[in-house]
Amino acid sequence: MMGKLKIGIVGCGSIARERHIPEYLAGGEVEIVAVCDLVEERAQEVETKFNISVQTYTDYQEMLKQEPSIEAVSVCTPNYMHAPVSIAALEAGKHVLCEKPMATSSQEAQDMIEAAEKSGTKLMVAHNQRLVPSHVKARELLEEGALGKIYSFRTVFGHGGPEGWSIDGADSWFFRKEEAFIGAMGDLGVHKSDLIQFLFDEPVAEVGAFVETVAKENTTVDDNAVCVLKMESGIVGTLTASWSYKPFEDNATVIYGEKGMLRLEDDPQYSLIAVYTSGETTSYDLGGIQTNAAGGQENSGIVDAFVDTVINEKPVPITGADGKRALDVILAALESSREKTITSVRKAGVTQ
């Protein structure tokens, strides 16, 4: 590849401003040539905020048409636009890094995967929890058999809600079903449905869930959910997603096995603690997980991994298939809660 990788950004809200744009610029191997947002002022603000010169658009189709030099696109829009924007960019021959959840239906996710395959481009989904050092180390320990047979787990992601993070505050699209489709389960739960499948290197097979709206007013999406997951091998555990955890967020995962337990992001000092039935305890200080709190926006690793994948023509580390698997668990949870039944992930289909 000659010169710097040329990037287009679609969506100039908080995730673009706090993660994608700063991380692209910090890497030094890219040039952001164009940005797009339905709110023109937000697109224009990118130039002054980051002291860069870019073309600005309010129509992503126009951006793709007018900026043929763009080689890769970050999709940082509200959820309902993830699939249309990604597919348009893929069909235009651009590599795509799409925020999570990758789509609002299983069919949309499949269409994105097929668009990438047909165009020969790369599609990566921004499930950054796979790259957190404690999670990477935990997977290594599990692969080595450090815990022996795995029995159970609990994984949780909860904070006070997107009003403290989104550029629109309490008026954010996160709270509107027509734009977000999924609430806390799409914002936070999908992180953990991907993580648990990554840690165990196997899919979730069945879900039983209660998905409710109890904490937020003036919203049409869920804000609290508790799910029971059964992995393909029979491991059972819980997944919790919440927009009502105050004043502190909880981003912990605990795994229980015959030889002990792993505590991930469950201790204020050590990001991973392994406690064994032999009496041995090993504490790992691997650096903290990214958070939405002040000072919590360390490099997520997602943008660096995407750039490396494109420039060096490496396999995509977090594929469209991975993103679809995470989404399908969330869709199954919504169906389980709605139908009051245990739901097969494979049979959940497209949720309305």
Side-chain angles (χ1 to χ4, degrees):
M1 179 176 294
M2 299 296 291
K4 293 186 175 182
L5 180 68
K6 293 179 173 55
I7 301 292
I9 309 284
V10 182
C12 298
S14 293
I15 197 68
R17 295 178 180 217
E18 301 293 337
R19 295 274 173 88
H20 288 246
I21 295 173
E23 292 180 20
Y24 277 125
L25 297 177
E29 296 179 300
V30 309
E31 177 187 357
I32 300 174
V33 299
V35 299
C36 176
D37 197 285
L38 289 173
V39 180
E40 187 174 11
E41 292 78 9
R42 286 186 188 162
Q44 294 171 343
E45 286 168 0
V46 169
E47 287 194 294
T48 54
K49 180 176 176 61
F50 295 98
N51 193 29
I52 57 176
S53 178
V54 296
Q55 295 297 314
T56 60
Y57 294 87
T58 56
D59 183 331
Y60 69 91
Q61 295 278 17
E62 191 68 15
M63 185 189 82
L64 293 172
K65 179 181 177 181
Q66 296 296 330
E67 303 292 339
S69 68
I70 291 174
E71 298 165 276
V73 172
S74 265
V75 180
C76 304
T77 64
N79 299 340
Y80 80 108
M81 291 299 294
H82 284 179
V85 175
S86 295
I87 290 170
L90 293 165
E91 289 179 342
K94 320 301 183 186
H95 306 292
V96 168
L97 173 60
C98 182
E99 267 301 323
K100 54 76 210 167
M102 68 181 289
T104 61
S105 73
S106 190
Q107 186 60 56
E108 277 189 341
Q110 186 60 39
D111 291 344
M112 292 167 66
I113 293 167
E114 291 176 1
E117 291 173 347
K118 186 175 180 179
S119 63
T121 50
K122 297 178 184 292
L123 170 62
M124 180 169 158
V125 184
H127 282 295
N128 61 289
Q129 294 223 350
R130 288 181 173 229
L131 306 182
V132 173
S134 61
H135 297 161
V136 173
K137 182 62 178 179
R139 174 161 164 151
E140 291 175 4
L141 292 172
L142 293 171
E143 288 177 338
E144 293 167 2
L147 294 190
K149 184 178 181 180
I150 305 302
Y151 298 142
S152 188
F153 63 89
R154 58 179 171 89
T155 188
V156 59
F157 198 172
H159 59 47
E163 60 267 47
W165 157 255
S166 173
I167 196 168
D168 291 318
D171 293 325
S172 174
W173 61 265
F174 277 97
F175 297 112
R176 296 190 290 271
K177 187 173 184 178
E178 63 271 21
E179 295 177 71
F181 175 67
I182 321 169
M185 282 294 278
D187 182 32
L188 307 179
V190 76
H191 271 304
K192 295 305 187 180
S193 68
D194 177 69
L195 174 64
I196 209 66
Q197 294 178 105
F198 166 74
L199 291 173
F200 295 142
D201 194 24
E202 65 172 283
V204 174
E206 294 179 284
V207 182
F210 292 97
V211 183
E212 306 292 339
T213 304
V214 295
K216 303 297 180 185
E217 298 179 354
N218 303 317
T219 183
T220 50
V221 295
D222 58 280
D223 59 29
N224 273 276
V226 178
C227 314
V228 177
L229 308 183
K230 183 177 181 180
M231 309 301 293
E232 193 173 65
S233 67
I235 301 168
V236 293
T238 59
L239 181 156
T240 302
S242 177
W243 282 344
S244 65
Y245 285 15
K246 296 181 287 188
F248 306 114
E249 94 170 22
D250 189 350
N251 209 335
T253 300
V254 182
I255 300 169
Y256 306 91
E258 64 176 325
K259 297 181 181 179
M261 63 189 291
L262 298 180
R263 295 172 54 202
L264 318 178
E265 307 298 334
D266 189 46
D267 181 88
Q269 182 173 357
Y270 297 104
S271 52
L272 170 59
I273 300 176
V275 184
Y276 299 104
T277 55
S278 64
E280 176 189 357
T281 297
T282 305
S283 299
Y284 301 85
D285 185 359
L286 302 172
I289 195 169
Q290 299 89 29
T291 76
N292 291 343
Q297 300 305 323
E298 296 90 352
N299 192 309
S300 69
I302 282 291
V303 166
D304 288 346
F306 177 62
V307 171
D308 182 48
T309 294
V310 173
I311 289 179
N312 297 306
E313 300 182 356
K314 294 181 178 180
V316 178
I318 308 167
T319 65
D322 293 327
K324 182 177 182 296
R325 231 179 336 262
L327 173 64
D328 283 346
V329 174
I330 302 308
L331 296 175
L334 295 179
E335 182 173 316
S336 170
S337 183
R338 185 177 64 249
E339 302 297 331
K340 304 303 180 187
T341 186
I342 303 299
T343 302
S344 167
V345 173
R346 290 195 178 96
K347 295 179 180 179
V350 180
T351 305
Q352 301 299 317

